[in-house]
Amino acid sequence: GTNLILFGILMGVADGRPGRRKLFDGITFPDAMTVGFAQALALIPGVSRSGVTLTAGLFRNIDRAAAARFSFLLSTPATVAAAAKAFLDFRKAGGMEPGMELPFAVGILVSGITGLAVIAFFLNFLRTRNLRVFVIYRVVFGIIVIALAILRGPH
């Protein structure tokens, strides 16, 4: 809960910084390294991979939409590796039951189309709006998580 709040506030600070922002083609090697290293922070509970990479991009004075686009592109190798591992684990466990090939293929297709639509919506959203709604969401959700942990007490 604390990390949700802290990284939400950090996102708000990064988004609110004044100054000219670099577009996608202006991203430098130091920018890429900073955003790439920030991605590792997502191993910490309560830290969003896309949120922390977007925040790092904003601190590097990258345009909001360009930072989000770079963040999504940065996730591609990890996503492909995770999918490959899941596929290998799936095959090792015995594979697919007969007759499930078509539903499986349709599920992958629908998932891919939905993912691309969400990314397109989000990038368009960020071209015209700030991150305030996400900052508020993270802070409120962090407070709820902390409150639930307190109410639940020690195990």
Side-chain angles (χ1 to χ4, degrees):
T2 302
N3 286 335
L4 283 165
I5 295 168
L6 290 176
F7 280 90
I9 292 170
L10 195 61
M11 180 186 288
V13 169
D15 194 40
R17 292 178 67 224
R20 188 171 177 174
R21 301 283 185 171
K22 300 178 222 176
L23 298 178
F24 191 82
D25 59 356
I27 295 174
T28 64
F29 182 75
D31 296 333
M33 292 300 292
T34 301
V35 174
F37 283 126
Q39 183 170 236
L41 294 174
L43 295 171
I44 301 168
V47 178
S48 156
R49 191 211 61 81
S50 58
V52 76
T53 55
L54 177 59
T55 299
L58 291 172
F59 274 119
R60 294 291 304 178
N61 289 322
I62 299 172
D63 173 75
R64 196 181 297 120
R69 182 173 167 212
F70 187 72
S71 172
F72 287 128
L73 289 173
L74 190 63
S75 73
T76 303
T79 302
V80 169
K85 182 183 181 326
F87 178 74
L88 292 174
D89 290 347
F90 179 68
R91 288 198 56 190
K92 188 177 180 181
M96 192 175 308
E97 293 184 28
M100 292 303 296
E101 295 86 0
L102 182 61
F104 186 74
V106 169
I108 290 173
L109 182 65
V110 170
S111 176
I113 291 170
T114 303
L116 289 174
V118 168
I119 289 171
F121 170 80
F122 187 63
L123 291 175
N124 188 49
F125 177 90
L126 290 179
R127 283 186 189 93
T128 59
R129 294 176 186 86
N130 62 31
L131 295 170
R132 184 174 296 125
V133 67
F134 300 103
V135 172
I136 293 168
Y137 158 77
R138 290 185 61 86
V139 170
V140 169
F141 190 56
I143 291 168
I144 291 170
V145 168
I146 292 169
L148 288 173
I150 291 169
L151 292 173
R152 195 166 177 212
H155 284 90

